[in-house]
Amino acid sequence: MAPLLYPGVKRIRGAYRVYAYDEREVFEKTKRKGALADEVVKIASGMLFRNTQSPFAKKGADKAVDKKEPKKGKAKDIKEDEASAMLKPSDTNSQVEDAPVNVEGLQYVEAKSYVMLEICLNRPLIPKRPAEEVARRVAEYIPPRPLFPKRTNGAQKAVEDFHQQVGKVANQILDEFRELFGTELLNAGGSDLPNTDADLEARRQKMIYELNSSGKYFAFKEQLKHSVVKIVREKYLKTTTFTSKDDLQAFLSELYVYLVDQMHIGLGNVLTLEDKTPVPEPLTDSAQLKHFAREAEVNENFELATKYYQERIARNKTDSSCWFDYGTFCLYINDIAKAEECFKECVAINQKHVEGLMLYGVVCAMEEKNEAAETFFEAATCVDPKNVLAWTMLGLFYHGISNEISAEMAMMEADKLNISSARKAMKPVKGIVAKNIEPPPTPEHMTVDEAKESEVGEVNNIDTKSIPSINKIPATPSMPQEKGTSQTKAKPTDRKQSIAQGKKAGSMGSRTSSKENVSSARPGSRHVRSPGTPQVPENHEIEEPRESTPVPPQSVYMMASDWLLEAKAMAFTERALAHELLSTTGGPSPQYYISLARLCLQKKDFEKAEEALEAAVQADHQNPDAWGIMGHLRYLSGDLAAAKDCYERTISFLTNPSETHSIYLRLASIYLQDGMFQEAKRTFLLACKKSPSCVSWLGVGIACYRLSELSEAEDALSEANILNNSDPEVWAFLSMVCLKTARQLEAEQAYKYALKVGLTDEDLLAEILSLQEEVGFGNPQL
């Protein structure tokens, strides 16, 4: 009955097992003897007896009153009766223990009988919040933000419009000047016109006269009028008439000064002689920046990772995924306040971002804002009702606040969706297998003679190994056929039914004589068997094998833990792994130990991570993820030799681990430290082939430089510089390549950029200085 307490449930239907009635068990649970129905019958009979009593006193009532007075000699007997009444419960217990065994009820238990019950209510016991109300609550917490900024007619916009109109009018006046004095310029032979005061005044007077006489002066004034009115209204907020002339004159003086200043700014923007340098298009897209940020995050270069995440947001502030990724990074570095702001921006941009809703709910749960957290988790299930992860996260949240009924409902829904997705994944495979199989013709599409011929042919060619076990039932003895019956008198439908049953059941043995075969399956049967027809019970139905319930590749808890590990939500990851440990029956799986080790690595708990990885390797010694994480553990612990062995074992498996980029980078860096430059170059190139980055190309450049392959080193370092032109190591090795190739200017420039972007590696800096002393150039300070 617990599902009736789920929010919004009005109907339940299910199969309930039938148990034998046991008075002992009923007494232990209810402390009553007998069933409730017996008590109801007793109460009803007592009420009926009281209602049927006469209201008049009986004749012997007076005598009965006299007899009620007890005699003195019987006082001792009354006390004994009271004492025996106090012992009645013990007698009841003994009677219950001596109750006979319900033999008839045990038959139902042994037969595994069950009853189908369906309970329907007019309205649910616990109402469920509609999706519209949940969306409204989310909008109250985080108001939605429009994708495009609203157009506002503010003061800044009015001033910008004035600048544009001044520029247009200036271009038109310049065209008029060229039209008036263009002939004089041609006559002067391309030289400048005379610039004496008299000449300038004459040209000015002529220009003003032409503008006034042609009406263009008035047109230019009207063109500027609208932008000036906007400045008066938006900047000075003057929309009413002035009360006095003095106020009007003071305002006009102030406005004139301001407009003249803005006119000069507008003319400066139009008449500038220097062209603006065009901003080049970025060479990296959002996906590459995310990859670079994750790479820096793995290398624990959090400052560089923050730079990449913020650059993604600066390029596209309306992309909710950019805010979401930056929020997960803030969770990893334990900056909860900034993570909350990022997830809030994500949900404000896209109110239906399921992952953003869930992680904002996680942050609210971490801050003990349970009401807000429940709203956002429930909103995620309303946005995508078929999302397994959303229901699992809702169930984990309810488990955390000890709401067991709601948690059971959410986890039941998640399991159902998980099994449904596994069943859908199995259907295409079955469709491909059964595509080329054509079903045989059914007896309903054949005549009686064709069916008989095909049946006889099947009996002769039947394979005994393919006979089902149900066909091995021996035929029951039958009565001989009556004299007046024949096969031709049988109904066609009965004939077809017997033929179909014979084809399904197969043959029962060798064919016998016609006298033995012409008999019915049971005495009095109307059906007549043809020669060679196998004998099957008349009402027997062969059931098709039921489709087995598919087993999902992962439990809902493991799916949630994998996603939470990527989102860096450690508190909920621990909760999901704990439920996975409790729900498994055959012991934890290797994937559980791997997830536990990843969680311990994020928490920097290396001892527990090592224990979990040892258990994972013992359970599945060919799991590449287990060996890869073991290599990360050894690398972070400083045991580079063991880390190299683990990494080499990982990449030697036929199946690749889930994340190979960090494995390639760390293995190649170990090769560089050990002086194995050829292996380092090959491994770095594998990383560049899969997902190129500045770090991978820098590794290739360093390995080629150590191998004295200077041209290849320069190409690799140039690729690294294109992806990140602020890496000091890239500039340092470029300077050393230029020093060895005798390019003084480029060597000095690369060295200056290396110092400018912050080269702090003392060993590398000392190597550059020694090489500069060796070649005699490269350091501009000397």
Side-chain angles (χ1 to χ4, degrees):
M1 299 301 176
L4 285 176
L5 298 177
Y6 296 166
V9 175
K10 296 190 298 184
R11 172 181 172 272
I12 61 171
R13 181 176 181 270
Y16 300 90
R17 291 191 60 182
V18 177
Y19 292 93
Y21 177 75
D22 190 354
E23 291 187 3
R24 204 178 303 110
E25 184 178 0
V26 173
F27 182 76
E28 289 176 358
K29 293 183 177 180
T30 63
K31 303 302 180 184
R32 297 181 181 183
K33 180 184 177 183
L36 292 174
D38 298 338
E39 295 185 3
V40 171
V41 171
K42 291 179 181 178
I43 292 172
S45 61
M47 292 174 62
L48 181 63
F49 176 73
R50 286 196 299 270
N51 291 335
T52 54
Q53 285 183 348
S54 175
F56 302 102
K58 296 182 179 180
K59 293 181 179 180
D62 297 337
K63 297 180 180 180
V65 173
D66 296 338
K67 291 180 180 180
K68 284 183 181 179
E69 297 179 0
K71 296 181 180 180
K72 295 180 180 180
K74 294 184 179 181
K76 185 177 180 180
D77 297 338
I78 294 172
K79 291 181 180 181
E80 291 179 357
D81 293 339
E82 293 177 355
S84 61
M86 295 173 63
L87 297 176
K88 280 185 179 180
S90 61
D91 296 340
T92 304
N93 292 338
S94 61
Q95 292 177 7
V96 170
E97 292 177 357
D98 297 338
V101 179
N102 189 356
V103 180
E104 183 180 359
L106 291 176
Q107 295 178 0
Y108 291 94
V109 176
E110 293 175 357
K112 298 181 180 180
S113 303
Y114 61 90
V115 179
M116 295 295 296
L117 295 179
E118 182 175 0
I119 302 175
C120 297
L121 306 177
N122 290 331
R123 61 177 182 270
L125 298 177
I126 299 178
K128 182 180 180 180
R129 290 190 296 181
E132 293 79 7
E133 182 182 352
V134 176
R136 181 179 56 80
R137 293 289 301 276
V138 170
E140 289 177 359
Y141 283 109
I142 304 176
R145 180 171 300 171
L147 295 178
F148 302 99
K150 295 181 179 179
R151 291 185 175 272
T152 56
N153 294 324
Q156 185 65 28
K157 183 68 167 55
V159 173
E160 291 177 358
D161 291 342
F162 179 73
H163 291 167
Q164 292 178 1
Q165 296 299 327
V166 167
K168 292 179 180 180
V169 172
N171 288 326
Q172 293 175 3
I173 293 174
L174 184 58
D175 293 337
E176 292 293 330
F177 182 84
R178 289 170 180 169
E179 185 178 352
L180 286 175
F181 304 103
T183 56
E184 296 182 11
L185 287 171
L186 293 175
N187 295 331
S191 60
D192 294 337
L193 294 174
N195 292 328
T196 61
D197 293 339
D199 294 333
L200 292 175
E201 183 64 23
R203 285 196 292 268
R204 190 178 70 83
Q205 293 292 338
K206 185 178 180 181
M207 186 71 186
I208 293 175
Y209 175 76
E210 290 293 334
L211 292 178
N212 285 324
S213 61
S214 63
K216 293 180 180 180
Y217 180 82
F218 179 77
F220 293 156
K221 186 176 67 172
E222 290 295 326
Q223 188 173 349
L224 292 172
K225 182 179 178 181
H226 181 68
S227 59
V228 173
V229 170
K230 287 176 64 177
I231 289 177
V232 172
R233 290 179 178 177
E234 299 294 336
K235 184 171 181 62
Y236 291 95
L237 305 177
K238 297 294 183 180
T239 57
T240 59
T241 58
F242 292 92
T243 56
S244 63
K245 292 184 178 180
D246 295 336
D247 294 339
L248 176 60
Q249 291 298 328
F251 173 72
L252 290 177
S253 300
E254 183 182 357
L255 178 62
Y256 176 77
V257 173
Y258 179 78
L259 290 177
V260 169
D261 293 338
Q262 295 300 320
M263 180 191 67
H264 289 302
I265 295 174
L267 290 175
N269 294 333
V270 174
L271 301 177
T272 179
L273 299 177
E274 296 180 359
D275 295 333
K276 293 183 179 180
T277 304
V279 179
E281 293 292 332
L283 299 175
T284 54
D285 55 4
S286 180
Q288 285 180 310
L289 289 176
K290 180 180 178 181
H291 171 64
F292 298 160
R294 291 292 177 90
E295 183 182 69
E297 186 179 329
V298 170
N299 295 331
E300 296 185 352
N301 191 351
F302 299 137
E303 183 179 356
L304 183 60
T306 303
K307 173 188 172 184
Y308 282 127
Y309 282 122
Q310 291 177 352
E311 186 175 352
R312 291 184 70 209
I313 294 174
R315 289 188 184 182
N316 191 0
K317 294 183 179 180
T318 59
D319 189 356
S320 57
S321 62
C322 297
W323 289 100
F324 176 80
D325 294 332
Y326 189 33
T328 59
F329 170 73
C330 294
L331 275 182
Y332 180 59
I333 62 177
N334 203 23
D335 193 350
I336 306 299
K338 190 173 290 186
E340 182 179 2
E341 292 297 324
C342 292
F343 296 135
K344 187 180 292 185
E345 287 289 333
C346 173
V347 176
I349 294 171
N350 184 6
Q351 296 270 307
K352 295 185 178 181
H353 195 283
V354 179
E355 295 181 345
L357 290 169
M358 289 189 291
L359 276 190
Y360 191 79
V362 168
V363 172
C364 292
M366 293 170 63
E367 295 177 350
E368 296 183 356
K369 301 176 183 177
N370 293 331
E371 184 179 356
E374 182 181 3
T375 300
F376 284 97
F377 282 126
E378 191 174 351
T381 59
C382 293
V383 171
D384 190 0
K386 295 186 178 180
N387 193 323
V388 180
L389 187 59
W391 287 104
T392 307
M393 292 298 296
L394 181 61
L396 292 175
F397 167 73
Y398 281 136
H399 276 298
I401 61 174
S402 301
N403 190 348
E404 300 300 332
I405 293 179
S406 298
E408 180 184 355
M409 178 269 298
M411 299 314 302
M412 186 181 300
E413 186 69 22
D415 289 331
K416 183 174 69 174
L417 292 174
N418 194 20
I419 294 174
S420 176
S421 62
R423 182 177 289 110
K424 289 180 181 178
M426 291 175 59
K427 282 183 179 179
V429 179
K430 293 183 178 180
I432 293 171
V433 173
K435 186 176 181 180
N436 298 323
I437 300 177
E438 295 182 359
T442 56
E444 287 79 1
H445 298 89
M446 294 187 292
T447 62
V448 176
D449 296 334
E450 291 175 352
K452 182 177 179 180
E453 292 177 1
S454 63
E455 182 183 359
V456 173
E458 289 178 2
V459 171
N460 292 332
N461 299 324
I462 194 168
D463 186 7
T464 56
K465 294 181 181 179
S466 63
I467 299 175
S469 59
I470 194 170
N471 293 335
K472 296 179 181 179
I473 302 174
T476 55
S478 57
M479 297 295 293
Q481 185 182 5
E482 293 183 1
K483 198 170 185 180
T485 60
S486 64
Q487 294 182 3
T488 56
K489 293 183 180 180
K491 294 182 180 179
T493 54
D494 296 339
R495 177 75 179 183
K496 291 181 181 179
Q497 184 177 1
S498 62
I499 291 172
Q501 290 178 353
K503 290 186 69 178
K504 288 182 181 179
S507 175
M508 294 298 301
S510 60
R511 299 172 63 183
T512 57
S513 61
S514 61
K515 291 183 180 180
E516 296 174 353
N517 287 334
V518 182
S519 61
S520 59
R522 63 180 68 179
S525 176
R526 294 184 295 106
H527 298 285
V528 180
R529 284 176 36 207
S530 61
T533 304
Q535 197 165 4
V536 180
E538 182 178 359
N539 296 327
H540 179 74
E541 294 181 359
I542 301 176
E543 296 181 358
E544 296 181 359
R546 293 180 60 187
E547 183 180 358
S548 59
T549 302
V551 179
Q554 270 188 328
S555 65
V556 293
Y557 297 115
M558 289 307 303
M559 293 173 62
S561 65
D562 290 343
W563 180 77
L564 289 168
L565 283 171
E566 292 294 329
K568 312 299 187 302
M570 301 181 191
F572 270 70
T573 307
E574 292 178 347
R575 196 177 299 177
L577 291 176
H579 284 285
E580 171 67 17
L581 186 61
L582 294 175
S583 63
T584 54
T585 55
S589 62
Q591 190 62 33
Y592 165 80
Y593 289 116
I594 292 172
S595 300
L596 180 60
R598 291 176 60 190
L599 175 63
C600 294
L601 279 181
Q602 290 185 4
K603 298 170 65 177
K604 307 299 180 184
D605 191 352
F606 294 154
E607 294 182 0
K608 291 185 179 180
E610 186 174 1
E611 294 176 1
L613 287 174
E614 288 177 355
V617 170
Q618 289 180 0
D620 185 7
H621 66 281
Q622 292 186 351
N623 193 319
D625 288 329
W627 287 105
I629 299 174
M630 180 74 78
H632 294 328
L633 175 63
R634 302 301 183 195
Y635 184 87
L636 295 175
S637 302
D639 191 356
L640 299 182
K644 183 175 73 171
D645 294 338
C646 294
Y647 287 146
E648 289 176 346
R649 183 190 290 265
T650 302
I651 63 178
S652 65
F653 287 121
L654 295 177
T655 56
N656 292 327
S658 57
E659 203 277 325
T660 58
H661 187 72
S662 59
I663 294 175
Y664 286 141
L665 292 183
R666 288 179 172 175
L667 178 59
S669 65
I670 294 173
Y671 285 149
L672 278 180
Q673 295 180 24
D674 293 344
M676 305 169 65
F677 303 123
Q678 194 65 40
E679 288 79 2
K681 175 184 175 182
R682 180 179 55 84
T683 309
F684 274 124
L685 284 174
L686 288 175
C688 292
K689 182 179 179 180
K690 186 174 181 61
S691 49
S693 65
C694 175
V695 177
S696 60
W697 281 115
L698 174 61
V700 175
I702 295 173
C704 292
Y705 176 80
R706 300 303 181 190
L707 293 171
S708 299
E709 299 173 356
L710 299 181
S711 61
E712 295 183 5
E714 185 176 359
D715 293 339
L717 292 171
S718 300
E719 290 289 338
N721 197 13
I722 290 172
L723 295 176
N724 183 11
N725 59 0
S726 60
D727 194 319
E729 291 188 14
V730 175
W731 288 111
F733 277 96
L734 277 173
S735 177
M736 289 193 292
V737 169
C738 294
L739 287 173
K740 287 200 172 185
T741 55
R743 290 180 289 176
Q744 181 178 356
L745 180 61
E746 295 177 1
E748 292 179 357
Q749 289 179 347
Y751 177 69
K752 286 190 294 184
Y753 274 114
L755 297 178
K756 184 177 180 180
V757 295
L759 180 61
T760 57
D761 191 348
E762 296 182 358
D763 296 336
L764 184 57
L765 189 59
E767 184 179 359
I768 296 174
L769 293 176
S770 64
L771 186 58
Q772 288 174 352
E773 293 178 0
E774 181 181 347
V775 297
F777 59 87
N779 190 352
Q781 297 176 356
L782 298 178

